[in-house]
């Protein structure tokens, strides 16, 4: 998503403007999005929300946006996000990002921007630093958003660790076969085992309620049915007879 992350400097970027993001074309090839815990309730209304292990063997929570690799079914050909569907904060923070810079203190994150973004350094938009090198209101807003984003993910990690300590996750496979025979799917996925949750001691259940984890769990479980919507969306995008068959597979059984 970030083609040229660049550290922002009050000296180097004084007077540089940044235009508002008006296209989500940068997210068009992302079939999932990392979520913070407080996003789950909203994201679950539109997307399947699942858990997954990353390459560091850490469990994360994701919104599934498409069935194929490099396919986001919620961004159209003009780069517009599907109207009335929740846009994950991962994309709303673009073109900014907090990143570790080589040589910096371990764990210290620095505000960066995607210098490849067409709205960076042009004639339109708001300046990031004023004539004295101070952060402008626009820049302060971006830093606040990034900081809250990072803090929310730290809290999310703590909640996921709690669920994991209660042995509530189970492996699942999400694989699909198109009417034409093409197969695709997702690996390393996890979901909450509702039966295991029902066997928890009262003390642990109370802890889930008071920390908000129970709301997460049920939103996640209900959201799994949104895979049907993804099938219908994929069918519409494919078109033709194959698309119609795929759409029918995504229809809710009566």
């Amino acid at each position: 998503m970030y083609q040229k992350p660049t550290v922002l400097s009050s000296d180097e970027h004084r007077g540089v403007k940044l235009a508002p993001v008006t296209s989500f074309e940068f997210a068009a090839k992302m079939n999932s999005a990392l979520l913070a815990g407080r996003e789950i309730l909203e994201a679950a209304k539109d997307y399947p929300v699942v858990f997954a292990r990353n390459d560091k063997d850490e469990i994360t929570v994701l919104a599934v946006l498409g069935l194929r690799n490099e396919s986001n079914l919620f961004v159209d050909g003009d780069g517009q996000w599907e109207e009335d569907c929740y846009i994950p904060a991962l994309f709303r923070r673009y073109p900014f990002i907090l990143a570790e810079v080589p040589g910096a203190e371990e764990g210290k994150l620095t505000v960066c921007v995607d210098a490849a973004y067409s709205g960076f350094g042009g004639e339109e938009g708001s300046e990031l630093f004023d004539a004295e090198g101070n952060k402008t209101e626009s820049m302060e807003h971006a830093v606040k958003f990034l900081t809250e984003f990072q803090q929310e993910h730290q809290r999310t990690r703590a909640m996921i660790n709690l669920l994991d300590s209660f042995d509530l996750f189970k492996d699942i496979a999400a694989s699909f076969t198109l009417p034409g025979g093409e197969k695709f799917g997702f690996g390393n996925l996890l979901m909450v085992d509702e039966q295991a949750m029902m066997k928890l001691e009262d003390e642990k259940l109370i802890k889930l309620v008071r920390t908000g984890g129970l709301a997460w769990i049920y939103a996640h479980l209900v959201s799994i049915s949104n895979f049907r919507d993804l099938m219908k969306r994929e069918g519409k995008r494919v078109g033709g007879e194959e698309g119609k068959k795929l759409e029918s597979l995504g229809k809710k059984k009566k």
Side-chain angles (χ1 to χ4, degrees), residues 71-251:
S71 175
N72 183 340
L73 294 170
F74 295 84
V75 177
D76 64 22
D78 295 321
Q80 299 304 299
W81 202 278
E82 179 81 17
E83 189 176 2
D84 295 329
C85 286
Y86 179 75
I87 303 174
L90 179 77
F91 301 131
R92 285 185 280 119
R93 70 176 177 171
Y94 186 85
F96 295 102
I97 187 174
L98 283 178
E100 290 189 10
V101 177
E105 180 183 343
E106 185 177 355
K108 183 177 181 180
L109 300 176
T110 304
V111 179
C112 301
V113 68
D114 186 2
Y117 168 52
S118 60
F120 177 66
E123 297 293 326
E124 304 293 327
S126 303
E127 293 183 356
L128 300 174
F129 300 96
D130 62 23
E132 285 73 41
N134 300 311
K135 296 184 184 73
T136 62
E137 185 177 348
S138 295
M139 183 64 172
E140 290 283 8
H141 177 76
V143 172
K144 183 175 183 290
F145 186 91
L146 291 171
T147 302
E148 291 178 350
F149 180 89
Q150 191 67 24
Q151 291 171 343
E152 279 302 316
H153 278 283
Q154 290 173 349
R155 284 192 280 267
T156 303
R157 191 173 298 114
M159 180 66 80
I160 289 174
N161 289 341
L162 178 65
L163 300 185
D164 197 24
S165 72
F166 289 172
D167 294 321
L168 292 182
F169 291 115
K170 65 178 181 180
D171 295 316
I172 59 170
S175 58
F176 306 89
T177 301
L178 298 181
E182 181 185 357
K183 297 181 179 181
F184 52 91
F186 300 86
N188 300 317
L189 292 188
L190 303 166
M191 70 178 293
V192 171
D193 186 340
E194 193 171 9
Q195 294 303 313
M197 185 181 67
M198 292 300 181
K199 295 176 183 178
L200 287 177
E201 299 91 333
D202 290 350
E203 182 181 348
K204 291 182 177 179
L205 278 173
I206 291 172
K207 190 168 186 177
L208 286 178
V209 171
R210 290 180 174 171
T211 57
L214 197 62
W216 276 29
I217 289 171
Y218 280 112
H220 146 68
L221 292 173
V222 170
S223 78
I224 298 301
S225 65
N226 287 329
F227 271 110
R228 288 196 297 262
D229 179 62
L230 292 186
M231 296 283 278
K232 289 188 287 185
R233 288 174 178 273
E234 180 67 28
K236 290 178 180 178
R237 185 162 292 192
V238 169
E241 288 303 314
E242 183 180 0
K244 289 179 181 179
K245 291 178 182 178
L246 193 54
E247 282 188 66
S248 68
L249 289 176
K251 289 182 179 179

